[in-house]
Amino acid sequence: MRRTTLKQRVASGAVVVSCGLLAGLALAPPAAAARYGVSAPLESAVRMSDGTTLAADVYHPTDARTGRPASGRFPVILSMTPYGKRSSVTTGSSGAGLGGDGYYPYLIEHGYLNVVVDVRGTGASGGSFGLFDARERRDGVELAGWAARLPHSTGRVGMAGCSYLGLNQIFTAGAAGRGSPVRAIAPCAAGIDLYRDLAFSGGIPNVEFAATWLALRGTMVVSDPGDAAGPRGPVSRGERFAGLDAGLYTEVSLGGARAFDSRFWRERAPATYLARVVRNRVPALLLSGWFDVYQRGVVLDYATLQNAYAAMHRASGRPALLGPMAAAVRPTGRYQAVIGPWFHNSTGYGQRVQDLLLRWFDRWLRGVRNGVDRTSRPLHAFELRGGRWIDAGAYPLPPARAHRLWLGGGRTGTAPASLNDGSLAARRAHTGATDAIAWTNATSPCNRNSDQWNTGLGAYVTGVAGLPGSPCWTDDSSSQAGALTYTSAQMHRAMTLAGPSGVSLQVRTTSRDAEIAVSMEDVGPDGSSYPLTGGALLGSNRALDVRRSWRGPGGGLILPYHPYTRAARRDLVPGRWARLDVEVLPTFARIGPGHRLRVTVATGATHLQPSVVQLGGLAGGRYEVDRAGSYVQLPLADPHALATSPVAW
């Protein structure tokens, strides 16, 4: 965090905006001036307990005057990457002079050793890639122990990095044990559940992210030419990756075990390890964005860590680990989250992240009493459309109350391209009023989903170049053609949508399954439709786990939790009514006076594609939505009841 002389550009949901600065905010003091230079990477071969050798680069602080290795002992920042430890992603994606995702020259200049390791089976490392399997999780523990014993190390290790590098921090910290040298982590752009957050939505495969992941895998086949270890059998490695991918996608397409929330996904779910992170006394700083692919997971990570800490310290009420934070939970500054107006790739970009990391690791690895942990409001979130940061403690936010709005008839004149142009109202519609829609598995690509689920590559490029963002990020009106829409009356006063939402639909189909894609928009006085958030559900996955579903302040269901297991799957009965509770991803956005809230119900989304098996139950389907039995449950707060942060996070 720096004073208002520092300008930075990050991708917002509208255009590229300067969110590093907000006028009038009292920011934290700037970091101390850099004391050291940065060495060239020292290549090391690290032998794991099973005999496999992993390739590591070690960067040392140097004497800024002579360029020789600096004297003294330094904490270590460890990153484990599958994308090549000397690739441009790792060394140059964070901005000029700031390194990238894994390499942190800014931290080295302030007195840290930096270790970057190629994940097993990638880059210059040996072994077979296992996508966060038990052996890879063990590697993290052993690498931390090795890094702690490096010459000039203090024995204290922190971990940093985004996405894959963020997830393996959670796995390592959970597996390390209390005696581990891992003393702090800073997972950036990491979720809580790979099945629900990323690979599927509502049980429907996320093909856009799958395609992005396949492209990223190209960097995992061979090492950088500059590595002394050289390529590790690029042909055979590529064939092995292709075989792994083919096996997974064939299994998903044909409805095999990994098409459901099976053991494969649960072993790779951060939710499984968060309580262990707390038991191992490892503080965590979470960084994410409201347009990240992990939009859902970061706030659930935050609540789970806070609940686990409260349970370990025997807080009254004994909160449910994976539920909302209980009223009795007193938040701790050991677990914090910063959630900004960012896509996946832009979350770790810029000077703001470097300053945050420095303060975080100075506190936990050096013992500097810089106050970063001295807060009762460790949740720091940017209010979309409100242009400010807020600080909060509990999640869901206590000022927000669950409001129920019912689907109503039309036409309202606000969505002329929709099938019905219906309304949203506080009163329930008359019995027997229905709206019809046919299954198409299609929608306009002009919406934020297209960029969000490819990890925000377009947002990153335009943000770095200082160009305006896509108009589809701020107006998705075209996606309402051929869909059902329900639009509220104009707001008399501003309200903030603060959390996850649930859309409950009473549906009757002619098919044995249904594909429902829901989006929420802020409709401006000029008719523009700003996308806020969305969610999806395959009707056969409609079973609810009431113990893990969230009810917001006021009692309404705001996060329906579906098991997504084979055992819980049930076909719809054609001609019979069924309730479909759609989980809508959490967001934090202000809806201004004169604006309207819209819920759009479609039968497809740009990033989702049902599997071959799922298509068999969807083909030819026609749905009726009973307005009298359908509603949206929204956590809404008065913006004035939310504490504006004195810091531009």
Side-chain angles (χ1 to χ4, degrees), residues 347-646:
T347 295
Y349 185 81
Q351 184 71 50
R352 61 185 171 82
V353 173
Q354 307 298 319
D355 286 334
L356 275 172
L357 292 178
L358 181 60
R359 288 174 58 78
W360 187 253
F361 290 127
D362 275 355
R363 172 64 186 91
W364 302 113
L365 303 186
R366 292 184 182 279
V368 177
R369 301 289 178 175
N370 56 18
V372 71
D373 59 320
R374 304 288 291 177
T375 177
S376 61
R377 292 175 172 173
L379 174 59
H380 318 290
F382 188 80
E383 184 186 37
L384 301 172
R385 313 283 273 179
R388 62 168 179 162
W389 289 88
I390 66 102
D391 292 330
Y395 190 85
L397 306 185
R401 310 299 297 174
H403 292 259
R404 179 173 294 185
L405 297 178
W406 295 86
L407 275 54
R411 303 188 70 91
T412 67
T414 63
S418 74
L419 295 174
N420 64 325
D421 191 17
S423 60
L424 274 181
R427 292 187 178 183
R428 190 173 185 171
H430 295 298
T431 303
T434 63
D435 293 318
I437 186 171
W439 176 75
T440 63
N441 190 36
T443 188
S444 165
C446 185
N447 55 64
R448 194 183 293 132
N449 285 339
S450 301
D451 215 319
Q452 178 169 2
W453 296 104
N454 69 21
T455 71
L457 181 60
Y460 176 82
V461 171
T462 57
V464 171
L467 301 172
S470 166
C472 298
W473 300 344
T474 56
D475 192 346
D476 66 353
S477 298
S478 66
S479 66
Q480 288 141 31
L484 299 174
T485 61
Y486 302 91
T487 310
S488 73
Q490 289 185 334
M491 297 280 187
H492 296 300
R493 58 189 178 91
M495 297 293 288
T496 296
L497 179 60
S501 304
V503 173
S504 185
L505 303 176
Q506 191 77 4
V507 176
R508 181 166 60 187
T509 71
T510 61
S511 51
R512 55 185 172 84
D513 214 340
E515 180 182 8
I516 298 294
V518 168
S519 58
M520 289 187 185
E521 296 94 16
D522 173 1
V523 182
D526 61 354
S528 61
S529 180
Y530 180 87
L532 297 172
T533 184
L537 181 66
L538 196 70
S540 54
N541 289 324
R542 65 192 180 280
L544 274 180
D545 183 339
V546 295
R547 295 172 301 173
R548 293 187 64 175
S549 296
W550 288 26
R551 294 190 176 275
L557 184 67
I558 59 172
L559 195 159
Y561 188 92
H562 302 283
Y564 296 128
T565 61
R566 188 191 297 277
R569 184 190 176 282
R570 294 288 185 274
D571 279 344
L572 297 172
V573 179
R576 183 177 298 176
W577 292 102
R579 179 159 300 282
L580 307 185
D581 293 295
V582 183
E583 179 186 357
V584 177
L585 305 186
T587 191
F588 187 64
R590 186 182 301 192
I591 304 168
H595 288 233
R596 305 168 188 262
L597 181 71
R598 175 176 293 153
V599 173
T600 298
V601 179
T603 61
T606 54
H607 60 299
L608 303 178
Q609 175 60 53
S611 69
V612 171
V613 168
Q614 292 170 347
L615 287 171
L618 294 167
R622 184 172 177 82
Y623 314 155
E624 287 182 90
V625 177
D626 177 15
R627 297 199 298 263
S630 301
Y631 53 85
V632 55
Q633 200 79 28
L634 302 162
L636 296 173
D638 181 345
H640 296 98
L642 302 168
T644 298
S645 178

Side-chain angles (χ1 to χ4, degrees), residues 100-300:
D101 194 14
Y103 169 55
Y104 298 100
Y106 186 78
L107 298 183
I108 301 168
E109 291 168 350
H110 286 82
Y112 287 84
L113 297 170
N114 187 189
V115 175
V116 191
V117 184
D118 284 332
V119 165
R120 172 182 295 254
T122 72
S125 287
S128 297
F129 179 70
L131 186 66
F132 304 123
D133 64 2
R135 182 59 248 186
E136 187 179 318
R137 296 194 296 272
R138 184 65 197 168
D139 287 346
V141 176
E142 294 180 11
L143 286 166
W146 172 81
R149 296 189 297 272
L150 285 170
H152 301 288
S153 167
T154 63
R156 291 173 172 260
V157 176
M159 299 185 72
C162 298
S163 194
Y164 200 108
L165 291 76
L167 292 163
N168 61 31
Q169 293 177 56
I170 296 172
F171 300 138
T172 299
R178 288 194 181 184
S180 166
V182 177
R183 302 299 179 89
I185 59 176
C188 163
I192 194 170
D193 184 332
L194 298 186
Y195 184 91
R196 290 166 176 79
D197 290 352
L198 192 64
F200 297 80
S201 181
I204 307 168
N206 186 334
V207 295
E208 185 171 1
F209 178 79
T212 302
W213 170 245
L214 286 175
L216 287 170
R217 291 287 282 270
T219 66
M220 298 162 60
V221 174
V222 295
S223 64
D224 186 279
D227 279 331
R232 295 286 184 140
V235 175
S236 61
R237 178 173 285 178
E239 290 174 347
R240 186 163 57 248
F241 283 166
L244 290 172
D245 293 335
L248 173 60
Y249 295 127
T250 298
E251 191 174 323
V252 168
S253 183
L254 298 180
R258 286 183 286 183
F260 299 94
D261 188 16
S262 56
R263 178 179 176 180
F264 175 87
W265 298 107
R266 289 192 293 273
E267 287 182 347
R268 292 159 173 81
T272 305
Y273 305 93
L274 291 172
R276 302 180 202 178
V277 173
V278 174
R279 286 199 299 270
N280 292 338
R281 305 182 187 278
V282 181
L285 170 66
L286 310 172
L287 296 168
S288 190
W290 293 123
F291 316 134
D292 187 7
V293 296
Y294 292 113
Q295 174 186 346
R296 173 185 184 273
V298 63
V299 287
L300 304 189

